[in-house]
Amino acid sequence: MSKSEVVELPVLQDGGVVPCCPPITAGELSQADAEKMAAMFKALSDPVRLRLFSKIASHPGGEACVCDIADVGVSQPTVSHHLKKLREAGLLTSERRGTWVYYQVAPSVVAAMAAMLDLRS
Amino acid sequence: MSKSEVVELPVLQDGGVVPCCPPITAGELSQADAEKMAAMFKALSDPVRLRLFSKIASHPGGEACVCDIADVGVSQPTVSHHLKKLREAGLLTSERRGTWVYYQVAPSVVAAMAAMLDLRS
DNA sequence: CCAGCGTATCGACAGGCATCGAAGCAAGGA
DNA sequence: TCCTTGCTTCGATGCCTGTCGATACGCTGG
């Protein structure tokens, strides 16, 4: 299947600038909004995924090769599984360059999360 | 077990002001930090819990009676189960006042999340 | 003291998910 | 052409969790 499968990004609208959901403190969440936000939080609700995400996010340029981040204490297939989950949640994008596959932090993801938390400073 | 069981708040230190973990983009997360953050995100990774939390957070004073928020489409025991999860995650506190039980958003929770997201405004 | 209401816990069940080894696919070098 | 290396997918397994009905607990009013 590779990368052609777009899973209709849960947390970001097409532009990537407008958050999907109103702030969590702005009123009662609709069922649909709650499900979108839950999907995003669920993607970050695993320690392994959190460590993978932070390793990528803290790399220069917000991107890293799998081989650079695979050391998180679980087997290599499991790492691949978690990266796929993060990709499906719209938090990461992936790109093959020759032998290696690079993962990048999807743009505006952090801003979308900030909007959910009502942190328009 | 009842409520005397304190689950050593995952995301907030004793004072409640200092976040537990470095920003997610500041470098590689330690195993311990990743587990604390994951526990918090996991608490918010369910649509029902998200709706309950937002209902409480959007109530005046950041507090609400269970009877005011219980209409989220699941049975009463399930609502109670989810509120317990949010309490154990340190996101909510509860207090009995006469017949009713009131839940409040734990102070500084949102600030702690903001710190994780590297949003030092 | 008892009946009634609001909330929490219990026990059970089904579905979801993290994990692994094995196998498959892609790219590059001998 | 084959082998090696990097990554993904597959199938199986065991644990975790969301859900419910039944039941227990706490409080208030009669």
Side-chain angles (χ1 to χ4, degrees):
Chain A
M1 48 182 69
S2 77
K3 84 187 68 173
S4 62
E5 187 173 323
V6 180
V7 202
E8 62 170 284
L9 326 177
V11 288
L12 298 175
Q13 299 293 49
D14 35 13
V17 178
V18 179
C20 79
C21 310
I24 204 172
T25 55
E28 302 184 7
L29 250 39
S30 73
Q31 180 71 23
D33 284 342
E35 285 175 2
K36 289 180 194 168
M37 292 179 62
M40 166 165 197
F41 284 126
K42 178 171 284 184
L44 292 174
S45 70
D46 183 275
V48 173
R49 284 199 288 273
L50 228 29
R51 295 186 70 191
L52 289 171
F53 187 85
S54 84
K55 281 193 174 198
I56 296 171
S58 63
H59 257 244
E63 88 168 19
C65 168
V66 174
C67 55
D68 289 331
I69 60 175
D71 183 24
V72 285
V74 294
S75 70
Q76 191 276 324
T78 302
V79 169
S80 190
H81 165 75
H82 284 305
L83 288 172
K84 183 180 182 180
K85 288 273 187 143
L86 288 168
R87 222 190 319 139
E88 289 176 347
L91 298 178
L92 296 179
T93 59
S94 66
E95 182 186 353
R96 176 162 218 127
R97 290 207 284 272
T99 304
W100 296 280
V101 175
Y102 289 81
Y103 278 80
Q104 303 97 23
V105 175
S108 299
V109 157
V110 176
M113 296 185 70
M116 289 184 198
L117 298 176
D118 198 12
L119 302 169
R120 41 231 175 161
S121 52
Chain B
M1 49 183 72
S2 77
K3 83 187 61 173
S4 62
E5 187 173 323
V6 180
V7 204
E8 61 170 285
L9 324 178
V11 288
L12 298 176
Q13 300 293 50
D14 35 12
V17 178
V18 179
C20 78
C21 309
I24 206 173
T25 56
E28 302 185 6
L29 250 39
S30 73
Q31 180 71 26
D33 285 341
E35 285 176 2
K36 290 180 195 168
M37 291 178 62
M40 167 164 196
F41 284 126
K42 178 173 284 185
L44 293 173
S45 69
D46 182 276
V48 173
R49 283 198 290 272
L50 228 30
R51 296 186 72 191
L52 289 171
F53 187 85
S54 84
K55 281 194 174 197
I56 295 170
S58 63
H59 257 244
E63 90 167 18
C65 168
V66 175
C67 56
D68 289 331
I69 60 176
D71 183 24
V72 286
V74 295
S75 69
Q76 185 272 323
T78 303
V79 169
S80 189
H81 166 74
H82 285 305
L83 288 173
K84 182 180 182 181
K85 288 274 186 135
L86 288 168
R87 223 191 317 140
E88 289 176 346
L91 298 178
L92 295 179
T93 60
S94 66
E95 182 187 353
R96 176 162 217 127
R97 291 209 283 273
T99 304
W100 297 279
V101 175
Y102 288 80
Y103 278 79
Q104 304 96 23
V105 175
S108 300
V109 156
V110 176
M113 297 186 69
M116 289 183 196
L117 297 177
D118 198 12
L119 302 169
R120 43 244 176 150
S121 49

